């Protein structure tokens, strides 16, 4: 009996060593009982006020919730690794880059029963960048477009009528030069501004042809003197309080600015414009980093968001469409019937879907944008 004890100890040590060698040392108790913590990194102004509190109350999981304001910032964090985050929300075309780079983990769909609620059309669109929908679940979606302070823009334009193509307001010197006096804001992100400029020039918004980018620099240089602000979050309040009258921004953000102006009785009449030639669609998605410390809790959170009433609550608060076909019954009538939030079928057909970006093209976009922003 005494001779067998060391053998059992040796076997235990050998087993532990083998588990550690294959990265499975924590597979037993840790997976069975993951600590009740979840770290989330999301865009600013992009959640309902009670979403986190309700999830914490139901699950007992304590959520640390942080914000970022550009895909570039999020990507840099993920590439550096060890962020400590369990769920992050990049746009779909950035998530493809991250999945291809091995810094995301595949979803365990057996833990996501509410996937059944998602609109097959949205899933098919996402599958173009995420074959088999293996990594991404849509949080919300919208489009890059133009927002205006109706009264201030009309006054600044004087006798010049509103253009048939609303992109002229931000890309045509004849218009934007007149609007500088009441404030012009552009999104502070290469991968938002450059695709919009390409689209305006009649090129594919996510063109892989370097020659298509030749005209972007001169276009942006021609309007640079008239841009007074670069912002991907603060412009919401700036629109609401009348500090700016024109924004190249995101559809829901502009609608948030409108609502804040109404709630705050600021007297500013804010409108989200739907371009006749199409806005630039985006799908912000929930993904799990490869080194997420709490992947079980991440799956619980993602599945929770896909409940119809939860997804609807996000849309009701931030005026972005959601992918949840079962949520429409819970979306407020004035929101679900708002064409700036849920564009008409005719407008949707004109929208430009997101596409993958190669590293070379991303570098080109960054170079063009940096030159634009610095005025060099």
């Amino acid at each position: 009996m005494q001779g067998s004890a060391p053998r059992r100890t040796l076997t235990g040590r050998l087993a532990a060593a083998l588990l550690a060698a294959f990265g499975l040392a924590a597979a037993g108790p840790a997976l069975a009982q993951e600590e009740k913590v979840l770290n989330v990194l999301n865009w600013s102004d992009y959640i309902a006020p009670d979403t986190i509190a309700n999830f914490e109350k139901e699950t007992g999981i304590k959520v640390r919730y942080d914000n970022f304001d550009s895909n570039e910032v999020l990507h840099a964090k993920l590439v550096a690794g060890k962020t400590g985050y369990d769920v992050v929300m990049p746009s779909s075309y950035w998530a493809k880059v991250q999945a291809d780079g091995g810094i995301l983990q595949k979803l365990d769909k057996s833990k996501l029963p509410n996937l059944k609620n998602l609109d097959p059309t949205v899933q098919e669109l996402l599958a173009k960048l995420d074959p088999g929908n293996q990594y991404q679940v849509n949080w919300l979606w919208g489009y890059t477009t133009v927002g205006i302070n109706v009264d201030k823009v009309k006054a600044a334009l004087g006798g010049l009528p509103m253009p048939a193509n609303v992109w002229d307001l931000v890309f045509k010197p004849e218009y934007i030069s007149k609007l500088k006096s009441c404030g012009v804001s552009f999104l502070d992100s290469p991968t938002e501004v450059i695709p919009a400029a390409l689209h305006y020039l009649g090129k594919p918004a996510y063109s892989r042809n370097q020659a298509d980018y030749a005209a972007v620099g001169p276009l942006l240089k021609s309007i640079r003197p008239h841009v007074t602000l670069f912002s991907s979050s603060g412009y919401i309040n700036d629109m609401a309080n009348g500090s700016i009258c024109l924004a190249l921004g995101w559809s829901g953000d502009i609608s948030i600015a409108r609502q804040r102006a109404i709630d705050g009785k600021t007297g500013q009449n804010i409108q989200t414009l739907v371009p006749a030639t199409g806005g630039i669609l985006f799908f912000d998605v929930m993904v799990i980093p490869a080194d997420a410390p709490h992947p079980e809790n991440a799956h619980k959170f993602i599945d929770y968001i896909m409940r119809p009433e939860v997804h609807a609550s996000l849309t009701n608060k931030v005026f972005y469409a959601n992918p949840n076909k079962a949520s429409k019954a819970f979306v407020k009538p004035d929101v679900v019937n708002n064409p700036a939030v849920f564009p008409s079928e005719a407008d949707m057909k004109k929208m430009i879907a997101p596409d993958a970006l190669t590293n070379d093209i991303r570098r080109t976009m960054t170079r063009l944008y940096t030159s634009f922003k610095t005025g060099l």
Side-chain angles (χ1 to χ4, degrees):
M1 294 293 292
Q2 290 180 348
S4 62
R7 189 172 299 149
R8 286 199 298 272
T9 304
L10 179 62
T11 301
R13 287 175 180 168
L14 180 60
L18 286 170
L19 285 169
F22 286 95
L24 300 173
L31 282 182
Q33 188 59 52
E34 195 172 82
E35 66 173 332
K36 287 188 170 293
V37 174
L38 179 73
N39 301 309
V40 178
L41 184 60
N42 195 4
W43 298 86
S44 57
D45 297 295
Y46 213 32
I47 196 168
D50 59 354
T51 307
I52 297 300
N54 290 345
F55 176 77
E56 289 180 328
K57 183 178 180 181
E58 178 175 318
T59 63
I61 295 170
K62 179 63 179 176
V63 178
R64 168 191 163 206
Y65 184 82
D66 295 331
N67 297 131
F68 65 94
D69 64 5
S70 79
N71 275 300
E72 288 81 2
V73 168
L74 173 58
H75 186 67
K77 287 179 181 289
L78 292 176
V79 170
K82 297 182 179 179
T83 64
Y85 290 107
D86 302 299
V87 181
V88 299
M89 281 75 159
S91 296
S92 57
Y93 57 95
W94 279 93
K96 174 176 173 51
V97 173
Q98 292 148 9
D100 291 347
I103 54 179
L104 302 181
Q105 60 179 272
K106 290 183 179 179
L107 300 168
D108 183 345
K109 294 183 182 181
S110 70
K111 297 173 183 174
L112 301 172
N114 284 324
L115 280 170
K116 68 179 184 295
N117 294 327
L118 300 190
D119 188 333
T121 302
V122 174
Q123 290 294 82
E124 287 173 15
L125 281 170
L126 287 178
K128 293 179 180 179
L129 296 174
D130 177 25
N133 302 111
Q134 297 181 85
Y135 293 92
Q136 308 179 19
V137 172
N138 184 217
W139 172 262
L140 294 171
W141 63 267
Y143 51 98
T144 303
T145 187
V146 177
I148 62 170
N149 182 312
V150 176
D151 301 324
K152 290 193 173 187
V153 165
K154 183 178 180 180
L157 291 180
L160 189 64
M162 280 286 287
N165 180 4
V166 299
W167 289 116
D168 281 346
L169 290 172
V170 291
F171 288 125
K172 195 169 185 177
E174 178 186 358
Y175 286 93
I176 192 173
S177 63
K178 292 181 177 295
L179 300 174
K180 178 182 179 180
S181 61
C182 55
V184 175
S185 177
F186 267 55
L187 289 170
D188 193 8
S189 169
T191 52
E192 302 296 338
V193 173
I194 306 303
L198 282 167
H199 176 55
Y200 179 71
L201 290 167
K203 308 291 186 182
Y206 298 92
S207 176
R208 294 183 178 87
N209 182 357
Q210 289 283 0
D212 285 342
Y213 292 81
V216 172
L219 171 67
L220 295 180
K221 186 176 182 178
S222 73
I223 63 170
R224 178 61 185 91
H226 314 301
V227 178
T228 60
L229 176 69
F230 290 89
S231 171
S232 294
S233 55
Y235 77 100
I236 298 175
N237 281 335
D238 289 332
M239 288 207 83
N241 64 31
S243 297
I244 60 172
C245 65
L246 174 69
L248 173 63
W250 293 308
S251 55
D253 282 7
I254 300 163
S255 292
I256 291 173
R258 174 182 173 81
Q259 191 60 48
R260 287 183 184 175
I262 293 170
D263 294 343
K265 299 179 180 178
T266 67
Q268 309 303 320
N269 180 9
I270 311 302
Q271 184 178 357
T272 305
L273 303 179
V274 182
T277 59
I280 313 296
L281 280 176
F282 63 81
F283 297 89
D284 292 328
V285 295
M286 295 178 279
V287 297
I288 304 175
D291 59 359
H294 311 104
E296 295 294 306
N297 294 344
H299 281 86
K300 290 177 182 177
F301 181 76
I302 292 171
D303 200 57
Y304 174 80
I305 294 299
M306 290 189 291
R307 292 182 185 176
E309 66 277 14
V310 176
H311 244 148
S313 72
L314 302 182
T315 296
N316 285 333
K317 179 60 180 178
V318 301
F319 304 101
Y320 283 100
N322 70 67
N324 197 312
K325 66 180 188 298
S327 77
K328 292 289 183 73
F330 301 95
V331 178
K332 296 175 182 176
D334 62 318
V335 176
V336 78
N337 294 317
N338 184 343
V341 180
F342 290 95
S344 68
E345 185 177 348
D347 284 334
M348 282 301 295
K349 288 179 179 178
K350 299 172 186 174
M351 294 285 180
I352 309 303
D355 202 354
L357 294 172
T358 65
N359 288 334
D360 286 345
I361 291 301
R362 281 195 291 120
R363 281 191 287 269
T364 297
M365 287 187 174
T366 299
R367 176 178 54 79
L368 287 166
Y369 179 80
T370 301
S371 179
F372 169 50
K373 185 176 179 180
T374 60
L376 300 177

